Amino acid sequence: MGYVSIPRNEHTISRKEISENALKVLHRLNKQGYEAYLVGGCIRDLILGKTPKDFDITTNATPEQIQKLFRNCRLVGRRFRLAHIMFGKEIIEVATFRGDHASQEGQTNISKRSQSGMLLRDNVYGTIEQDAIRRDFTMNALYYSINDFTLRDYCGGLKDLQKGIIRLIGDPQTRYREDPVRMLRTVRFAAKLNMAIEPATAEPIKYLAPLLKNIPSARLFDESLKLLQAGNGYKTYELLREYCLFEQLFPIIGRFFTNNQNGYLEKIIAQALKNTDYRIANNKRVNPAFLFAAFFWYPIIEQTQATCVESGLPFHDSFSMTINEVLSEQCKNIAIPRRFTSTMGDIWRLQLRMKKREGKRAFVILEHPKFRAAYDLLEMRASIEKGELLELAKWWDEFQYSSVEKRILMVKQLNKINKRKVKR
């Protein structure tokens, strides 16, 4: 397999933009007689004028050979054996060239596939040419050499990058079956980089989307954060819906979407994602617990109401039961950690408690650690539902920023209003 060699004067990558620690690793591997290149996302980002979050290296040295060269190295992963070279907080990931599965003779601990074609283990080592073919997208098969500062392009990735095209290497159906998460990556890169998905790459996604059920739920949780909490959440959500991927990640939510796509559920998901994107753009903290609390609020309310009718239980009992059922079912698809589900439960329960403000209740609620997140959800709901909820959100907005004296007065006024209602 040939490649196009792009000299330094024809590409924009400069050593000044590369991590010093990555350069150290490249130089040491080269000095010991190994091939070593910067590859993948860091090259893509440098070409696009973005600052890479991390720097990945690929080499013909095996993980064990890499470990012998670096005392600060640890080997990780069973499915893909990798070397992590630690420089304080920075980790330089080094992978051995991936090989062709058709030529595995003499290798141990190599590869294994499931019946659906998914790769369960992939430790087949090979040449740089084989490694390029094994990569997912053409734009990620660009290799930078520190020896002569050239860029090697094996799959036409530079042209695709310049034209704004996301293109899988090889047969899309086969590649998606090898790793169904590639469907999520396709959508994520299209949203993140504002690029178009090449037709042949897009075509199989809708009918192969159910393969995501074969992916471990813990891995899908990590992927969900990359999709929805990386600054392009709303645009990613639109693509996930377009390619029938969102319902695979959140099947409970999918059951409650309306035919006209304009119900309270669709509106709150869109608003929550736009707010998250805004916070990330302004370097503010985001918490997946709040985002998921917003996602599931209306399904929980609808399911609670149905449980009330079916079982005859009081609303609060049905509400608690529904929360447990929804979280249990959702975690089969995306394993949301307990530290987040606990916060989600607090946010949901506070939605009910915030309606009752008489006596000391409002003061107790205000001191709750999750009050601010619960108020934000209340405010978001009010902007969608309007009516009495707007008045409630307005009251809590004023209450939380008032002096103690003003708060006491607000509660007294509320008590008087409620007494009048009872007399009527």
Side-chain angles (χ1 to χ4, degrees), residues 383-402:
S383 70
I384 293 167
E385 296 179 39
K386 313 297 182 186
E388 291 183 2
L389 211 56
L390 274 174
E391 292 299 317
L392 181 62
K394 184 180 178 182
W395 190 92
W396 277 108
D397 183 52
E398 185 179 352
F399 185 78
Q400 65 182 303
Y401 293 114
S402 295

Side-chain angles (χ1 to χ4, degrees), residues 116-131:
S116 64
M118 186 170 73
L119 281 170
L120 303 176
R121 189 177 300 134
D122 183 19
N123 289 306
V124 181
Y125 303 140
T127 64
I128 187 172
E129 290 82 7
Q130 292 171 326
D131 186 82

Side-chain angles (χ1 to χ4, degrees), residues 16-257:
K16 295 176 182 177
E17 300 167 317
I18 299 172
S19 158
E20 288 186 11
N21 294 321
L23 293 174
K24 287 178 186 176
V25 173
L26 288 167
H27 283 305
R28 186 176 298 183
L29 285 167
N30 287 160
K31 190 176 180 181
Q32 295 300 316
Y34 298 110
E35 294 179 65
Y37 303 86
L38 276 179
V39 70
C42 61
I43 299 301
R44 178 193 70 230
D45 288 346
L46 288 171
I47 290 171
L48 293 175
K50 301 176 183 288
T51 302
K53 289 186 177 180
D54 44 44
F55 291 84
D56 294 340
I57 291 171
T58 186
T59 177
N60 62 345
T62 65
E64 292 72 24
Q65 289 170 330
I66 297 165
Q67 192 173 38
K68 287 180 181 179
L69 293 179
F70 299 91
R71 288 183 299 174
N72 53 334
C73 173
R74 64 188 179 99
L75 303 185
V76 299
R78 287 181 59 191
R79 184 165 176 263
F80 299 109
R81 198 74 167 143
L82 300 167
H84 279 182
I85 303 176
M86 325 292 285
F87 294 92
K89 292 183 179 180
E90 185 179 17
I91 299 173
I92 305 299
E93 187 172 279
V94 185
T96 305
F97 294 149
R98 300 290 171 199
D100 183 357
H101 291 277
S103 56
Q104 303 174 5
E105 295 180 14
Q107 298 195 48
T108 59
N109 191 30
I110 43 178
S111 72
K112 184 179 178 182
R113 290 179 186 265
S114 69
Q115 289 184 338
S116 64
M118 186 170 73
L119 281 170
L120 303 176
R121 189 177 300 134
D122 183 19
N123 289 306
V124 181
Y125 303 140
T127 64
I128 187 172
E129 290 82 7
Q130 292 171 326
D131 186 82
I133 295 173
R134 292 296 321 284
R135 295 195 171 268
D136 48 11
F137 304 108
T138 58
M139 64 182 180
N140 289 339
L142 296 167
Y143 297 73
Y144 176 77
S145 171
I146 197 64
N147 287 332
D148 57 8
F149 318 122
T150 59
L151 197 61
R152 289 188 175 196
D153 184 354
Y154 285 87
C155 302
L158 188 59
K159 283 185 179 179
D160 281 345
L161 204 52
Q162 291 167 341
K163 291 180 180 178
I165 296 172
I166 306 283
R167 187 194 310 270
L168 273 174
I169 298 170
D171 174 56
Q173 192 169 151
T174 302
R175 301 312 303 277
Y176 289 141
R177 288 187 182 278
E178 284 178 351
D179 185 1
V181 169
R182 284 186 180 129
M183 292 183 281
L184 300 179
R185 283 169 59 80
T186 299
V187 163
R188 176 160 62 89
F189 284 130
K192 176 184 177 182
L193 303 175
N194 195 28
M195 293 170 70
I197 304 173
E198 182 256 342
T201 299
E203 192 269 332
I205 295 178
K206 286 185 180 180
Y207 67 85
L208 291 180
L211 290 176
L212 287 170
K213 292 174 183 175
N214 300 326
I215 302 298
S217 56
R219 185 181 177 200
L220 285 184
F221 172 74
D222 293 337
E223 291 298 327
S224 72
L225 297 189
K226 294 176 186 176
L227 290 163
L228 303 174
Q229 288 204 310
N232 308 283
Y234 179 65
K235 190 170 183 180
T236 304
Y237 162 71
E238 289 186 309
L239 288 173
L240 289 171
R241 291 290 308 277
E242 180 182 343
Y243 289 103
C244 302
L245 294 167
F246 188 84
E247 291 84 345
Q248 300 300 325
L249 300 175
F250 302 99
I252 298 170
I253 296 174
R255 294 201 293 266
F256 289 92
F257 282 137

